[in-house]
PDB file of all heavy atoms in Angstrom:
ATOM      1  N   ARG A  49       1.593   7.920  14.813  1.00 63.00           N
ATOM      2  CA  ARG A  49       1.432   9.247  14.200  1.00 63.00           C
ATOM      3  C   ARG A  49       0.157   9.320  13.373  1.00 63.00           C
ATOM      4  O   ARG A  49      -0.432  10.389  13.323  1.00 63.00           O
ATOM      5  CB  ARG A  49       2.630   9.568  13.250  1.00 63.00           C
ATOM      6  CG  ARG A  49       3.855   9.880  13.904  1.00 63.00           C
ATOM      7  CD  ARG A  49       4.866  10.458  12.929  1.00 63.00           C
ATOM      8  NE  ARG A  49       4.709   9.768  11.666  1.00 63.00           N
ATOM      9  CZ  ARG A  49       5.742   9.437  10.961  1.00 63.00           C
ATOM     10  NH1 ARG A  49       6.969   9.676  11.399  1.00 63.00           N
ATOM     11  NH2 ARG A  49       5.588   8.841   9.834  1.00 63.00           N
ATOM     12  N   GLY A  50      -0.224   8.294  12.738  1.00 74.00           N
ATOM     13  CA  GLY A  50      -1.358   8.378  11.750  1.00 74.00           C
ATOM     14  C   GLY A  50      -0.782   8.918  10.444  1.00 74.00           C
ATOM     15  O   GLY A  50       0.393   9.416  10.421  1.00 74.00           O
ATOM     16  N   ILE A  51      -1.624   9.019   9.499  1.00 81.00           N
ATOM     17  CA  ILE A  51      -1.224   9.744   8.270  1.00 81.00           C
ATOM     18  C   ILE A  51      -1.942  11.080   8.259  1.00 81.00           C
ATOM     19  O   ILE A  51      -3.148  11.172   8.399  1.00 81.00           O
ATOM     20  CB  ILE A  51      -1.704   8.936   7.033  1.00 81.00           C
ATOM     21  CG1 ILE A  51      -0.943   7.633   6.927  1.00 81.00           C
ATOM     22  CG2 ILE A  51      -1.411   9.708   5.716  1.00 81.00           C
ATOM     23  CD1 ILE A  51      -1.339   6.722   5.809  1.00 81.00           C
ATOM     24  N   ARG A  52      -1.160  12.088   8.220  1.00 83.00           N
ATOM     25  CA  ARG A  52      -1.651  13.462   8.317  1.00 83.00           C
ATOM     26  C   ARG A  52      -1.522  14.198   7.018  1.00 83.00           C
ATOM     27  O   ARG A  52      -0.437  14.084   6.362  1.00 83.00           O
ATOM     28  CB  ARG A  52      -0.976  14.173   9.409  1.00 83.00           C
ATOM     29  CG  ARG A  52      -1.110  13.606  10.761  1.00 83.00           C
ATOM     30  CD  ARG A  52      -0.376  14.304  11.776  1.00 83.00           C
ATOM     31  NE  ARG A  52      -0.450  13.564  13.032  1.00 83.00           N
ATOM     32  CZ  ARG A  52      -0.487  14.090  14.217  1.00 83.00           C
ATOM     33  NH1 ARG A  52      -0.285  15.395  14.363  1.00 83.00           N
ATOM     34  NH2 ARG A  52      -0.641  13.378  15.259  1.00 83.00           N
ATOM     35  N   VAL A  53      -2.625  14.952   6.591  1.00 86.00           N
ATOM     36  CA  VAL A  53      -2.523  15.756   5.373  1.00 86.00           C
ATOM     37  C   VAL A  53      -3.124  17.026   5.727  1.00 86.00           C
ATOM     38  O   VAL A  53      -4.147  17.200   6.272  1.00 86.00           O
ATOM     39  CB  VAL A  53      -3.349  15.022   4.256  1.00 86.00           C
ATOM     40  CG1 VAL A  53      -3.326  15.907   3.026  1.00 86.00           C
ATOM     41  CG2 VAL A  53      -2.802  13.745   3.947  1.00 86.00           C
ATOM     42  N   LYS A  54      -2.384  18.111   5.408  1.00 87.00           N
ATOM     43  CA  LYS A  54      -2.839  19.483   5.726  1.00 87.00           C
ATOM     44  C   LYS A  54      -3.583  20.001   4.512  1.00 87.00           C
ATOM     45  O   LYS A  54      -3.135  19.813   3.406  1.00 87.00           O
ATOM     46  CB  LYS A  54      -1.724  20.415   6.079  1.00 87.00           C
ATOM     47  CG  LYS A  54      -1.085  20.113   7.405  1.00 87.00           C
ATOM     48  CD  LYS A  54       0.013  21.127   7.750  1.00 87.00           C
ATOM     49  CE  LYS A  54       0.558  20.773   9.129  1.00 87.00           C
ATOM     50  NZ  LYS A  54       1.646  21.798   9.435  1.00 87.00           N
ATOM     51  N   VAL A  55      -4.718  20.595   4.776  1.00 89.00           N
ATOM     52  CA  VAL A  55      -5.486  21.264   3.659  1.00 89.00           C
ATOM     53  C   VAL A  55      -5.019  22.701   3.658  1.00 89.00           C
ATOM     54  O   VAL A  55      -5.294  23.438   4.570  1.00 89.00           O
ATOM     55  CB  VAL A  55      -6.966  21.107   3.962  1.00 89.00           C
ATOM     56  CG1 VAL A  55      -7.750  21.847   2.841  1.00 89.00           C
ATOM     57  CG2 VAL A  55      -7.389  19.657   4.078  1.00 89.00           C
ATOM     58  N   ARG A  56      -4.490  23.073   2.532  1.00 90.00           N
ATOM     59  CA  ARG A  56      -3.963  24.481   2.397  1.00 90.00           C
ATOM     60  C   ARG A  56      -4.835  25.230   1.458  1.00 90.00           C
ATOM     61  O   ARG A  56      -5.231  24.702   0.398  1.00 90.00           O
ATOM     62  CB  ARG A  56      -2.505  24.442   1.989  1.00 90.00           C
ATOM     63  CG  ARG A  56      -1.611  23.770   2.960  1.00 90.00           C
ATOM     64  CD  ARG A  56      -0.173  23.899   2.539  1.00 90.00           C
ATOM     65  NE  ARG A  56       0.592  23.246   3.569  1.00 90.00           N
ATOM     66  CZ  ARG A  56       1.880  22.796   3.367  1.00 90.00           C
ATOM     67  NH1 ARG A  56       2.409  22.995   2.161  1.00 90.00           N
ATOM     68  NH2 ARG A  56       2.500  22.276   4.297  1.00 90.00           N
ATOM     69  N   ASN A  57      -5.104  26.441   1.796  1.00 91.00           N
ATOM     70  CA  ASN A  57      -5.939  27.355   0.953  1.00 91.00           C
ATOM     71  C   ASN A  57      -7.276  26.732   0.538  1.00 91.00           C
ATOM     72  O   ASN A  57      -7.745  26.870  -0.580  1.00 91.00           O
ATOM     73  CB  ASN A  57      -5.188  27.727  -0.402  1.00 91.00           C
ATOM     74  CG  ASN A  57      -3.935  28.487   0.034  1.00 91.00           C
ATOM     75  OD1 ASN A  57      -3.858  29.221   1.003  1.00 91.00           O
ATOM     76  ND2 ASN A  57      -2.888  28.325  -0.880  1.00 91.00           N
ATOM     77  N   SER A  58      -7.850  25.961   1.445  1.00 90.00           N
ATOM     78  CA  SER A  58      -9.129  25.235   1.251  1.00 90.00           C
ATOM     79  C   SER A  58      -9.157  24.400  -0.049  1.00 90.00           C
ATOM     80  O   SER A  58     -10.171  24.375  -0.689  1.00 90.00           O
ATOM     81  CB  SER A  58     -10.280  26.284   1.261  1.00 90.00           C
ATOM     82  OG  SER A  58     -10.198  27.190   0.240  1.00 90.00           O
ATOM     83  N   ASN A  59      -7.976  23.826  -0.421  1.00 91.00           N
ATOM     84  CA  ASN A  59      -7.934  23.024  -1.564  1.00 91.00           C
ATOM     85  C   ASN A  59      -8.025  21.576  -1.135  1.00 91.00           C
ATOM     86  O   ASN A  59      -7.065  20.853  -0.878  1.00 91.00           O
ATOM     87  CB  ASN A  59      -6.565  23.238  -2.303  1.00 91.00           C
ATOM     88  CG  ASN A  59      -6.539  22.627  -3.624  1.00 91.00           C
ATOM     89  OD1 ASN A  59      -7.442  21.912  -4.024  1.00 91.00           O
ATOM     90  ND2 ASN A  59      -5.499  22.972  -4.421  1.00 91.00           N
ATOM     91  N   LEU A  60      -9.255  21.108  -0.985  1.00 92.00           N
ATOM     92  CA  LEU A  60      -9.541  19.751  -0.468  1.00 92.00           C
ATOM     93  C   LEU A  60      -9.119  18.672  -1.494  1.00 92.00           C
ATOM     94  O   LEU A  60      -8.724  17.571  -1.109  1.00 92.00           O
ATOM     95  CB  LEU A  60     -11.003  19.635  -0.093  1.00 92.00           C
ATOM     96  CG  LEU A  60     -11.395  18.408   0.637  1.00 92.00           C
ATOM     97  CD1 LEU A  60     -10.631  18.356   1.980  1.00 92.00           C
ATOM     98  CD2 LEU A  60     -12.902  18.412   0.918  1.00 92.00           C
ATOM     99  N   GLU A  61      -9.298  18.955  -2.814  1.00 94.00           N
ATOM    100  CA  GLU A  61      -8.964  17.987  -3.780  1.00 94.00           C
ATOM    101  C   GLU A  61      -7.543  17.616  -3.822  1.00 94.00           C
ATOM    102  O   GLU A  61      -7.154  16.385  -3.888  1.00 94.00           O
ATOM    103  CB  GLU A  61      -9.327  18.473  -5.211  1.00 94.00           C
ATOM    104  CG  GLU A  61     -10.891  18.719  -5.459  1.00 94.00           C
ATOM    105  CD  GLU A  61     -11.568  17.359  -5.428  1.00 94.00           C
ATOM    106  OE1 GLU A  61     -11.014  16.339  -5.964  1.00 94.00           O
ATOM    107  OE2 GLU A  61     -12.660  17.279  -4.826  1.00 94.00           O
ATOM    108  N   GLN A  62      -6.593  18.581  -3.649  1.00 93.00           N
ATOM    109  CA  GLN A  62      -5.275  18.335  -3.565  1.00 93.00           C
ATOM    110  C   GLN A  62      -4.864  17.513  -2.314  1.00 93.00           C
ATOM    111  O   GLN A  62      -4.068  16.563  -2.421  1.00 93.00           O
ATOM    112  CB  GLN A  62      -4.437  19.620  -3.630  1.00 93.00           C
ATOM    113  CG  GLN A  62      -2.943  19.463  -3.627  1.00 93.00           C
ATOM    114  CD  GLN A  62      -2.193  20.774  -3.540  1.00 93.00           C
ATOM    115  OE1 GLN A  62      -2.767  21.775  -3.198  1.00 93.00           O
ATOM    116  NE2 GLN A  62      -0.924  20.730  -3.823  1.00 93.00           N
ATOM    117  N   ALA A  63      -5.523  17.884  -1.245  1.00 92.00           N
ATOM    118  CA  ALA A  63      -5.245  17.111  -0.048  1.00 92.00           C
ATOM    119  C   ALA A  63      -5.697  15.686  -0.100  1.00 92.00           C
ATOM    120  O   ALA A  63      -5.014  14.784   0.399  1.00 92.00           O
ATOM    121  CB  ALA A  63      -6.001  17.787   1.198  1.00 92.00           C
TER     122      ALA A  63
END
Side-chain angles (χ1 to χ4, degrees):
R49 284 190 324 222
I51 295 178
R52 298 174 186 213
V53 177
K54 290 185 180 178
V55 180
R56 296 183 180 162
N57 298 330
S58 64
N59 192 352
L60 192 59
E61 292 296 321
Q62 183 183 15

